[in-house]
Amino acid sequence: MRDAMPVPAWLEGRGGQPEGYCHRQMVDAVRYLVAGGVTWRAMPTDFPEWDRVYAFFRRWRDTGLVTEFHDRLRDRVRQAVGRDREPTAGIIDAQLVKAAASVPAASGGFDGAKKVNGRKRHIVVDALGLLLTVMVTAASATDRDAGQTLLARLRERHWRITLVWADGGYTGRLVDLARDALRIALAVVKRPTTPGASSCYPKGGWWSGRSRG
């Protein structure tokens, strides 16, 4: 994945000092932290010092390189299985995450339906399950309200998306908004009434016959 990573400025003669650690060490350290769910200060001594790794990650995050790197790899995975780089369909969903006591009240919330105090992560993935866009809100945010912002971001980044599957939490005015303002057909998949059966709506309309992927 080396050629998918940005080239340091000093290697291209654009100034700056050579970095003290190679990118492979830094990326491995960040991947370890994410996979293990550890804190920055709990980084094993096999990796560079935790504050160096954090500064590296923060610099890439703030300049948008983390997102760019992720998108490049996703495009390669799609092409490797014979799909176009840009998807035409997606799946939207949300998941509640119970917050620790250290989470500030300003960024948390209470979901009255599921009796959970914490945050909610909202995502849109492609047909392969690869991440297209993500947003984190307080648990009190409804799927419909968060979905409006999430679908708008999806449209900005992935202009070919015409169909998004969703569950019953995204019914109502969001379906009309997605169709009229974003030109996205939000197909709400109903819970099957018999084993092995499934159904979704809306059916027909301007998106009928379009490719899905």
Side-chain angles (χ1 to χ4, degrees):
M1 63 184 189
R2 176 192 294 273
D3 57 345
M5 299 176 67
V7 179
W10 65 273
L11 282 179
E12 294 186 326
R14 293 185 284 113
Q17 297 182 353
E19 298 177 349
Y21 299 96
C22 73
H23 282 172
R24 169 121 189 206
Q25 287 179 303
M26 293 300 193
V27 171
D28 284 348
V30 173
R31 291 180 63 243
Y32 178 90
L33 180 138
V34 173
V38 300
T39 63
W40 289 103
R41 293 178 182 272
M43 189 81 66
T45 56
D46 305 57
F47 297 114
E49 296 180 10
W50 75 267
D51 54 344
R52 296 288 185 90
V53 179
Y54 176 68
F56 167 88
F57 169 77
R58 185 178 59 186
R59 183 171 66 251
W60 275 28
R61 179 200 62 194
D62 294 347
T63 56
L65 290 177
V66 173
T67 300
E68 181 182 347
F69 186 39
H70 168 271
D71 291 349
R72 289 181 182 181
L73 293 178
R74 183 194 59 233
D75 293 347
R76 291 189 177 194
V77 173
R78 289 184 57 85
Q79 290 179 313
V81 297
R83 293 178 179 264
D84 192 272
R85 292 176 58 183
E86 276 296 327
T88 58
I91 305 166
I92 187 172
D93 203 358
Q95 181 184 33
L96 281 168
V97 180
K98 188 176 182 180
S102 58
V103 173
S107 61
F110 184 76
D111 186 302
K114 297 186 177 180
K115 309 300 181 184
V116 174
N117 183 44
R119 291 172 175 166
K120 186 181 290 187
R121 49 194 177 204
H122 310 263
I123 64 170
V124 179
V125 299
D126 66 4
L128 300 177
L130 303 175
L131 188 64
L132 298 177
T133 186
V134 61
M135 182 175 70
V136 178
T137 68
S140 54
T142 66
D143 292 352
R144 296 182 185 90
D145 291 340
Q148 180 175 339
T149 302
L150 196 63
L151 290 176
R153 293 182 182 178
L154 178 70
R155 168 55 70 205
E156 292 177 358
R157 296 181 59 85
H158 302 280
W159 58 273
R160 291 188 61 195
I161 292 283
T162 58
L163 172 65
V164 173
W165 288 284
D167 62 23
Y170 297 90
T171 56
R173 62 183 179 86
L174 182 59
V175 176
D176 297 331
L177 177 65
R179 180 189 64 240
D180 299 336
L182 303 175
R183 302 294 290 173
I184 294 176
L186 192 61
V188 179
V189 180
K190 297 180 179 179
R191 186 181 299 275
T193 55
T194 58
S198 64
S199 60
C200 66
Y201 65 88
K203 296 180 180 180
W206 61 268
W207 59 87
S208 297
R210 291 177 178 254
S211 60
R212 301 178 180 181

